[in-house]
DNA sequence: TTCAATATGTTGCAAATGCAACAAAAATTA
DNA sequence: TAATTTTTGTTGCATTTGCAACATATTGAA
């Protein structure tokens, strides 16, 4: 039933596409909403961890964050105990944009789950978490150059 | 619980990333596997429908297919009753590559569902289909310039 | 039939994406 | 301590992605 993975791909592309179109009004370019909300939820996170969290290439995250900084939505701060890392924080302006993102995401969520009972929603969340846990192991392995045998 | 949509996004990006890395050996560049398998499953489909099926922009699909044709994996044929459309078919070489894609996708599927019972897999497929159905309505609406109110 | 609307396809940009390759700090091992 | 490995960050380059804008064929309405 590789059907499951196809459905996931379709849903993800459709939602991402919708979000990108809708966030243009907020002057957010492709994908930026992903990073911004997570930085707000995890202030002080570094970009390496953020990339892992989102499941995107390190360099892609680096540039998206760079752009968020340039646009004044995010701030990078050095750490006194570790001269290498740069902690990420939302700026005032970033904090102001986030509710708009949340509202959009909530709406998409409502649309996506319409017709599902609360129980079904709980079930699907539980199962998706499990699937994500399985998949992220392989993702990290393959990203680091590992070769899957099959 | 917008958590669900996040999980879906993470899973989709991770799997797509894995596939793209693994298919490099087959000289398939980013995303091409998506189109090729579906053309094999729906010979004669036109690119507009394929884009809808995959949930990707028309022009993105157009160029991916163009490249598949250039690389000799897919063939475009005109229709005698409709001079505008171009039906898509796999070439011999395309047909030879597809089993490799299937094997990889099957493996990813097994990995993703490991630890889930058959019943759970059935449940999640059922629920994801419903979610996809909900989401694609909005996708088509927004892609055509519609504005969602929320 | 004629004219407007829609469907399908293409091209031109500008931007995001991600692999390679590099640099330097930190952590681990010898 | 010194040497090696890992972590974190960056830049270069080629590619994909997608919105605008256009072109033409088909379909639908007046």
């Amino acid at each position: 039933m590789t059907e499951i993975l196809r459905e996931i791909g379709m849903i993800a592309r459709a939602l991402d596409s919708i979000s990108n179109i809708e966030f243009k009004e907020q002057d957010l370019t492709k994908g930026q909403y992903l990073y911004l909300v997570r930085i707000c939820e995890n202030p002080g996170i570094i970009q390496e961890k953020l990339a892992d969290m989102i499941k995107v290439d390190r360099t892609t995250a680096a540039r998206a964050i760079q752009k968020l900084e340039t646009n004044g939505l995010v701030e990078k701060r050095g750490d006194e105990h570790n001269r290498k890392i740069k902690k990420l924080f939302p700026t005032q302006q970033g904090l102001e944009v986030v509710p708009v993102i949340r509202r959009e995401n909530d709406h998409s969520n409502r649309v996506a789950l319409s017709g599902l009972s609360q129980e079904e929603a709980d079930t699907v969340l539980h199962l998706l978490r499990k699937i994500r846990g399985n998949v992220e192991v392989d993702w990290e392995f393959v990203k680091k150059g590992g070769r899957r045998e099959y």
Side-chain angles (χ1 to χ4, degrees), chain A:
Chain A
M1 279 299 96
T2 87
E3 199 69 7
I4 289 176
L5 305 188
R6 284 195 191 183
E7 296 291 344
I8 289 176
M10 288 189 268
I11 297 166
R13 281 186 296 270
L15 287 171
D16 189 52
S17 176
I18 291 172
S19 292
N20 286 325
I21 291 169
E22 293 183 330
F23 291 144
K24 271 205 174 162
E25 280 183 45
Q26 266 64 46
D27 284 310
L28 287 178
T29 59
K30 196 168 172 245
Q32 294 197 318
Y33 69 99
L34 291 174
Y35 305 90
L36 185 53
V37 283
R38 282 166 180 82
I39 289 170
C40 287
E41 290 168 10
N42 308 274
I45 192 173
I46 62 173
Q47 58 176 51
E48 193 82 11
K49 300 301 167 203
L50 194 47
D52 281 354
M53 184 178 277
I54 295 177
K55 263 72 178 141
V56 83
D57 191 78
R58 289 155 16 85
T59 63
T60 301
R63 283 188 246 244
I65 294 162
Q66 177 53 54
K67 184 152 190 185
L68 283 169
E69 192 191 23
T70 302
N71 294 359
L73 298 171
V74 156
E75 188 190 350
K76 292 181 185 174
R77 287 190 218 147
D79 183 288
E80 35 184 342
H81 300 302
N82 187 328
R83 264 178 308 160
K84 195 169 45 166
I85 65 176
K86 297 178 182 176
K87 296 181 169 185
L88 303 170
F89 297 89
T91 62
Q92 185 55 42
Q93 200 194 331
L95 287 171
E96 282 162 19
V97 176
V98 165
V100 182
I101 300 176
R102 289 237 168 81
R103 198 146 38 81
E104 196 268 2
N105 284 173
D106 287 348
H107 181 68
S108 285
N109 193 63
R110 268 194 304 281
V111 168
L113 299 184
S114 79
L116 301 214
S117 68
Q118 182 60 49
E119 225 175 331
E120 288 175 317
D122 292 345
T123 301
V124 80
L125 173 58
H126 170 72
L127 295 174
L128 285 172
R129 281 211 183 111
K130 238 169 155 177
I131 291 172
R132 189 257 302 161
N134 290 335
V135 168
E136 77 186 346
V137 174
D138 271 24
W139 181 70
E140 274 153 33
F141 176 69
V142 172
K143 274 303 248 183
K144 282 183 185 137
R147 184 196 174 82
R148 304 199 299 177
E149 296 297 344
Y150 49 88

